[in-house]
Amino acid sequence: MSPSGAEVLRQIKDRIEEVDPGAVREQLDSGVLVIDVRQDEEWATGHIPGAHHVPKSHLESRIEGVAPDKSQRVVLYCASGQRSAWAARTLIEDLGYDSVESMTGGFTLWKDRGYQVEVPRFMSAEQRDRYSRHLLLNEVGIEGQQKLLDAKVLLLGAGGLGSPAALYLAAAGVGTIGIVDDDTVDLSNLQRQVIHNSERVGVAKVDSAEATINALNPDVKVEKHQLRLGPDNIMDILPNYDIVVDGLDNFPTRYLVNDASVRLRIPVVSAAILGFDGQLSVFKPYEGPCYRCLFPVPPPAELAPSCGANGVIGVLPGTMGLLQATEVIKLILHVGNPLIGRLLMYDALAATVTEVKVRRDPHCAICSRDPDEISDDELGVFPDYEAFCAGAH
């Protein structure tokens, strides 16, 4: 006679360690990794604060994305402690984890004791469908998608780089996208600025970009700044955003953005394009170099002509703008290895990518200072960048 389900469960529990919810609660801040193995609809009703969600049905395929260190202590829980016991046995006996425990009584006992519960924000059926491919990724999931929806990203320019970045950040569900651009759509833009179209020639670029984004994803709020960024307005705009995407084409404004973003501790995802060549880096204040560490002074004009003077292949801004969008998403989700302290150089003609390490300059005029030494009065005071860039030559 084969053993009953209860007998099998008892045998499994004899082979694993169990832990009381009270002990789990006391150890939440001690580095223990807590994983909820219930289904999506159960997770959505509430979970233990700080827990990660890996449904038991996807345990084998997703667990290493959440718990890559198999020696780390892991506590699993479900509704009552049964599924988590099975899952614990799987992790130990089949997947080689060293320290796995199942929480007795599961989430039901946790709630019955009145312990704190975290309830995820509601995601509509339409949103679950729209972002379904994100929800399947360990690195994103429901929590990550909520981070994207909560994020505020500022695009400097709705041109060649800003167009693809805006489209894909909007498609990914970045909840607020600010756009700074004082220009109107010109026929010559359409070879590369794919967020605009022929019917919008003469329309303000911020309005054209807003119309395209609204048609693509109604979840996204577009904040329009139809102006030229300068020392007189930058501190009114940048503090409202989490990340800046730099698609600028002039050095004075790049230095201004760098100095303001360092003072505000806002990361900048910066790209530059010319001809068939592109460059990309992430300047995250005090975690890596800033733009001035890379370019203490602007290069001579003959070494850095504008795209308008020298030309650019139309697909190159798309390539670099999409890489910018990728870095933004990584920063929002805190996943992967962003291009902090690294300069990526792309040669479209040769189809090669070269990477150069960039270190912080201990004598940098901007980021070498202790941020706590910068007074409130200094935050909005900037030098004459036009004169600085002109004087560098």
Side-chain angles (χ1 to χ4, degrees):
M1 179 182 295
S2 60
S4 65
E7 177 62 21
V8 171
L9 180 61
R10 187 191 65 77
Q11 293 174 4
I12 288 174
K13 288 191 173 186
D14 287 341
R15 289 148 58 185
I16 65 168
E17 296 290 334
E18 293 188 288
V19 60
D20 186 81
V24 176
R25 182 191 182 204
E26 292 174 359
Q27 297 164 5
L28 284 179
D29 297 327
S30 65
V32 61
L33 184 64
V34 179
I35 298 178
D36 186 323
V37 299
R38 297 175 299 161
Q39 295 304 308
D40 291 343
E41 58 274 15
E42 296 175 284
W43 166 268
T45 64
H47 54 263
I48 294 175
H52 297 266
H53 184 219
V54 183
K56 181 177 177 293
S57 55
H58 298 290
L59 194 65
E60 289 84 351
S61 61
R62 299 187 185 180
I63 188 61
E64 289 192 7
V66 175
D69 181 1
K70 294 187 177 183
S71 65
Q72 182 180 8
R73 184 185 172 209
V74 176
V75 174
L76 307 179
Y77 75 90
C78 60
S80 64
Q82 296 187 23
R83 282 174 290 173
S84 58
W86 283 86
R89 191 214 66 171
T90 298
L91 291 190
I92 295 169
E93 298 183 3
D94 298 339
L95 300 179
Y97 282 79
D98 298 330
S99 180
V100 182
E101 298 162 285
S102 172
M103 190 176 80
T104 56
F107 191 60
T108 301
L109 182 56
W110 179 278
K111 288 197 301 180
D112 288 346
R113 291 186 180 177
Y115 297 160
Q116 184 179 356
V117 172
E118 188 173 286
V119 179
R121 291 212 317 274
F122 175 75
M123 186 173 286
S124 69
E126 181 179 336
Q127 287 177 317
R128 286 178 175 273
D129 194 17
R130 178 184 292 273
Y131 307 120
S132 60
R133 300 306 186 272
H134 274 178
L135 302 185
L136 292 172
L137 294 173
N138 293 331
E139 296 84 355
V140 187
I142 292 177
E143 291 175 274
Q145 190 60 53
Q146 291 291 1
K147 289 180 182 179
L148 290 169
L149 289 165
D150 289 340
K152 297 182 177 181
V153 176
L154 180 66
L155 301 178
L156 303 182
L161 292 166
S163 288
L167 286 171
Y168 273 86
L169 291 174
V174 171
T176 302
I177 295 178
I179 304 174
V180 177
D181 202 309
D182 67 341
D183 202 1
T184 58
V185 179
D186 185 83
L187 189 61
S188 65
N189 301 149
L190 303 183
Q191 164 249 18
R192 64 202 176 281
Q193 299 181 20
V194 293
I195 205 166
H196 313 299
N197 61 46
S198 298
E199 295 179 356
R200 298 186 195 147
V201 170
V203 174
K205 286 186 178 179
V206 292
D207 293 333
S208 174
E210 178 188 38
T212 302
I213 290 171
N214 287 343
L216 177 62
N217 189 349
D219 283 345
V220 180
K221 175 185 178 184
V222 178
E223 296 180 344
K224 299 181 292 183
H225 305 280
Q226 190 176 358
L227 48 81
R228 184 176 180 82
L229 200 63
D232 58 332
N233 56 33
I234 192 168
M235 297 304 285
D236 295 326
I237 298 173
L238 255 64
N240 300 313
Y241 296 92
D242 307 314
I243 300 170
V244 174
V245 178
D246 173 14
L248 298 167
D249 60 359
N250 69 88
F251 283 105
T253 312
R254 281 186 185 270
Y255 282 104
L256 169 65
V257 170
N258 175 77
D259 296 357
S261 65
V262 170
R263 295 176 187 185
L264 295 168
R265 306 191 195 190
I266 298 173
V268 177
V269 180
S270 181
I273 52 173
L274 189 66
F276 290 84
D277 299 320
Q279 294 183 353
L280 176 71
S281 191
V282 174
F283 302 110
K284 191 170 185 181
Y286 305 106
E287 291 189 24
C290 74
Y291 186 77
R292 280 186 185 265
C293 296
L294 184 60
F295 298 110
V297 296
E302 62 270 17
L303 296 181
S306 69
C307 291
N310 202 62
V312 62
I313 189 70
V315 296
L316 180 65
T319 302
M320 303 310 295
L322 293 184
L323 288 173
Q324 283 184 288
T326 303
E327 292 300 305
V328 169
I329 290 172
K330 286 159 59 180
L331 289 172
I332 293 170
L333 298 176
H334 301 288
V335 299
N337 186 21
L339 280 169
I340 300 170
R342 296 182 291 149
L343 177 67
L344 182 149
M345 296 180 289
Y346 173 62
D347 181 340
L349 283 178
T352 59
V353 176
T354 305
E355 184 180 294
V356 176
K357 291 189 180 299
V358 185
R359 302 187 184 280
R360 286 182 65 183
D361 180 358
H363 305 293
C364 176
I366 300 300
C367 73
S368 64
R369 290 185 64 187
D370 187 327
D372 294 330
E373 294 178 359
I374 302 175
S375 67
D376 292 341
D377 292 337
E378 288 183 89
L379 281 177
V381 178
F382 300 98
D384 185 337
Y385 293 95
E386 297 284 352
F388 167 70
C389 291
H393 315 307

